[in-house]
Amino acid sequence: MGRPKNFNREEVLEKAMPLFWKRGFADTGLQDLEKATGVNKSGLYSEFKNKEDLYLATLRHYGETRKARGLLSEAPLGWKNIENFLTLKMTGKGEMKGCFAVNSMREIALLPPEAQEIMAENRSSLKGLFLKNITAEKTRLAPEALVEILSTFFSGLCIEQNLKAGKPSPLRKVEDFMKLLRQM
């Protein structure tokens, strides 16, 4: 009979996420994960097969638990939901601004195919929520085209968050972009 585990899986994922978010998969070592989570190597390996498995679980956890997506489902649907979503993503806590899944795309060649599938599912789900909100606004342009524009803007803004040198501020960019979208 093995020793009982002295940690909560979700807490480990929440503590590992900022490390993967900031450093990426390749630059995050097992010692870093032990320190961040407070769980030793044998504990981590009893729950996750390896670092890759922990990363995949973190990526899945991110897609399942982030409250920002809930903003896109609030009634009434429309531009306000999209603006609230973008604003929240750009003002996240500490190093966790933007989107973990978008940040993960920087290392797409290093990640296992399953990570790519998780990111594609997350992106598809997000685009579906964008589409519902844009459709509710009865736009002049095709809602599907606006979803692609919005998705590209969102990804670019998330990537810029890592540069920490963007002018004007991300919130100003969101504000300006929303003015443009509302005219379409």
Side-chain angles (χ1 to χ4, degrees):
M1 176 167 158
R3 293 176 15 191
K5 77 178 177 181
N6 296 322
F7 60 89
N8 176 292
R9 180 182 174 91
E10 284 73 32
E11 287 177 11
V12 168
L13 297 174
E14 285 293 327
K15 290 176 180 178
M17 189 182 314
L19 201 56
F20 284 130
W21 196 314
K22 181 181 178 184
R23 293 185 179 177
F25 173 76
D27 290 337
T28 300
L30 187 56
Q31 288 180 339
D32 302 318
L33 290 165
E34 286 179 290
K35 184 177 178 183
T37 63
V39 178
N40 65 25
K41 181 170 69 171
S42 64
L44 288 173
Y45 283 149
S46 71
E47 187 71 20
F48 308 97
K49 291 183 264 184
N50 50 33
K51 182 177 91 166
E52 181 179 291
D53 189 42
L54 174 56
Y55 182 81
L56 293 171
T58 303
L59 198 55
R60 267 189 229 93
H61 179 73
Y62 173 78
E64 295 165 357
T65 62
R66 291 300 165 240
K67 69 178 181 178
R69 298 250 174 140
L71 293 173
L72 293 169
S73 299
E74 291 184 3
L77 296 175
W79 294 131
K80 192 67 179 162
N81 286 356
I82 292 171
E83 186 171 8
N84 289 341
F85 171 82
L86 293 172
T87 299
L88 181 64
K89 296 305 269 179
M90 295 308 116
T91 58
K93 59 184 177 187
E95 299 284 336
M96 295 172 52
K97 292 180 179 80
C99 176
F100 179 44
V102 170
N103 287 357
S104 295
M105 286 190 241
R106 298 175 306 178
E107 298 184 295
I108 199 83
L110 303 173
L111 298 176
E114 191 176 344
Q116 295 174 33
E117 292 168 18
I118 294 167
M119 287 185 280
E121 287 169 16
N122 282 341
R123 192 147 183 90
S124 177
S125 170
L126 184 59
K127 283 181 171 186
L129 292 168
F130 285 161
L131 182 61
K132 287 179 181 179
N133 282 279
I134 292 170
T135 301
E137 290 292 344
K138 312 252 186 286
T139 59
R140 288 182 286 157
L141 292 179
E144 295 79 8
L146 290 175
V147 167
E148 292 306 317
I149 292 167
L150 176 56
S151 296
T152 302
F153 172 78
F154 175 64
S155 295
L157 204 54
C158 290
I159 291 167
E160 271 189 2
Q161 287 292 99
N162 294 311
L163 301 176
K164 297 181 174 85
K167 300 281 183 202
S169 77
L171 292 179
R172 177 62 188 265
K173 290 177 185 180
V174 168
E175 191 178 294
D176 292 344
F177 184 73
M178 290 308 302
K179 285 179 189 173
L180 180 66
L181 273 183
R182 285 181 169 104
Q183 294 173 13
M184 298 181 159

